[in-house]
Amino acid sequence: MNTITTTYAATLAARSFRLAMAIAAQFDLEVDQYDVVGAFLNAQVTAKNPIICDMPDGFKKAGFCVRLNRALYGLRESPLLWYEELSGTLRKLSLISSAEEPCLFFTSD
């Protein structure tokens, strides 16, 4: 049984994205966008909130299950685990999360 009680992961509202792009255009700022291939597969599952699953078809054995070390696509916890992984890394790089849009990070420079 999974012990994660919340699965909400912050996503950027379309209006906030349009505003950020308008500000970047007005002030001729450089904007970078990245795509992380296999993003959810890079999210670690913590021992504090383990994810336990039945064995996949073809490997099922009575009385056995698996504990995941990484998130998988299709799990409802995956977006939150990826957000926690990414936001933790961005904070280590001294980026600041917006209070209004938690998934919008910026520098104070």
Side-chain angles (χ1 to χ4, degrees), residues 19-64:
L19 177 63
M21 293 302 103
I23 291 170
Q26 177 66 33
F27 294 101
D28 195 27
L29 300 174
E30 182 177 331
V31 176
D32 290 321
Q33 176 181 330
Y34 299 96
D35 181 26
V36 178
V37 177
F40 288 173
L41 304 176
N42 292 301
Q44 296 283 338
V45 175
T46 64
K48 183 177 95 175
N49 296 312
I51 297 176
I52 308 297
C53 298
D54 290 330
M55 297 288 284
D57 290 337
F59 296 93
K60 289 189 180 198
K61 195 172 180 183
F64 285 88

Side-chain angles (χ1 to χ4, degrees), residues 35-98:
D35 181 26
V36 178
V37 177
F40 288 173
L41 304 176
N42 292 301
Q44 296 283 338
V45 175
T46 64
K48 183 177 95 175
N49 296 312
I51 297 176
I52 308 297
C53 298
D54 290 330
M55 297 288 284
D57 290 337
F59 296 93
K60 289 189 180 198
K61 195 172 180 183
F64 285 88
C65 59
V66 295
R67 185 179 135 234
L68 300 179
N69 293 325
R70 296 192 181 267
L72 296 173
Y73 284 91
L75 295 176
R76 73 169 191 236
E77 298 88 359
S78 294
L80 176 60
L81 292 168
W82 170 240
Y83 173 76
E84 289 173 347
E85 185 82 24
L86 178 62
S87 63
T89 300
L90 294 175
R91 284 186 183 98
K92 286 179 186 173
L93 296 171
S94 301
L95 293 170
I96 302 164
S97 177
S98 168

Side-chain angles (χ1 to χ4, degrees), residues 8-21 23 83 86-87 90-91 95-107:
Y8 169 77
T11 57
L12 188 63
R15 67 181 180 274
S16 298
F17 176 75
R18 288 191 299 268
L19 177 63
M21 293 302 103
I23 291 170
Y83 173 76
L86 178 62
S87 63
L90 294 175
R91 284 186 183 98
L95 293 170
I96 302 164
S97 177
S98 168
E100 293 80 22
E101 290 281 357
C103 62
L104 179 63
F105 289 82
F106 58 92
T107 63

